[in-house]
Amino acid sequence: QIVDTIFSLLGADDQQAAELLVAEPEDSSGKRWILHIEDDEELSLGLKMRLEAYGVEVVRAFNGMAGYRTAFRYPAEAIILDMELPNGNGDYVLRRLKENPVTRNIPVIILTGRKDRNLERMMYNLGAAAFFNKPMEFGRLLTELRKYCPLDATAAV
């Protein structure tokens, strides 16, 4: 209820919140999961399908506010965050995640189409664990995710 009150004060009412939140993680006795904050639904679905083959549930949010709210309410093993998002760009979301004691220690992996060394430096300075440009080699993302979340080694890349 406290979270809902905070978001109401920030201007996100219950109807908006319902529209922003795509899904909540399943309560499946300790199953690992990550949060993917990405406005490209096809890319997000493709990544979800590939990662779930490795035994990790993927919860998706399609804008910045939905992603932050999900991360705050249900801290994930890791977050994959896009930069160009409606309702809160990636740098804003990353700042808020790292300022909050509930989400501060969640590793955030930036996955963006913007090829900008200054942006990359800024994201690392804000606390990003890794920075990848789209399109990226899926194996590199797996290598990074394995640092934070056990993945099924028997799945094929």
Side-chain angles (χ1 to χ4, degrees), residues 7-153:
F7 283 99
S8 291
L9 292 172
L10 293 173
D13 62 24
D14 288 340
Q15 182 178 356
Q16 286 175 314
E19 292 170 3
L20 299 178
L21 188 61
V22 173
E24 296 175 358
E26 296 175 9
D27 183 24
S28 54
S29 64
K31 183 175 180 181
R32 303 296 192 177
W33 72 279
I34 62 166
L35 174 60
H36 187 204
I37 308 171
E38 168 68 61
D39 62 334
D40 182 336
E41 292 185 39
E42 289 180 16
L43 176 86
S44 181
L45 179 60
L47 191 58
K48 175 183 173 69
M49 291 170 55
R50 289 192 79 180
L51 288 173
E52 286 183 346
Y54 288 84
V56 177
E57 181 181 354
V58 178
V59 173
R60 302 181 302 152
F62 299 109
N63 68 58
M65 187 65 159
Y68 178 72
R69 183 181 176 123
T70 303
F72 186 79
R73 292 185 78 177
Y74 309 99
E77 298 289 325
I79 297 172
I80 301 172
L81 176 63
D82 187 19
M83 284 302 304
E84 303 293 327
L85 294 164
N87 203 11
N89 272 339
D91 57 335
Y92 174 81
V93 173
L94 180 59
R95 250 188 219 102
R96 297 302 163 255
L97 289 169
K98 294 305 176 181
E99 289 173 352
N100 189 309
V102 173
T103 57
R104 175 180 300 141
N105 295 320
I106 300 172
V108 178
I109 300 168
I110 304 298
L111 180 57
T112 181
R114 289 181 52 192
K115 293 173 177 35
D116 180 343
R117 297 293 292 168
N118 290 329
L119 175 65
E120 183 176 353
R121 277 192 292 279
M122 182 176 82
M123 293 296 96
Y124 280 123
N125 287 336
L126 290 175
F131 186 97
F132 296 111
N133 288 114
K134 298 175 191 173
M136 58 147 250
E137 182 186 328
F138 183 68
R140 291 182 64 209
L141 178 62
L142 285 178
T143 299
E144 188 64 30
L145 284 173
R146 281 190 172 106
K147 295 177 184 177
Y148 317 110
C149 182
L151 301 176
D152 182 355

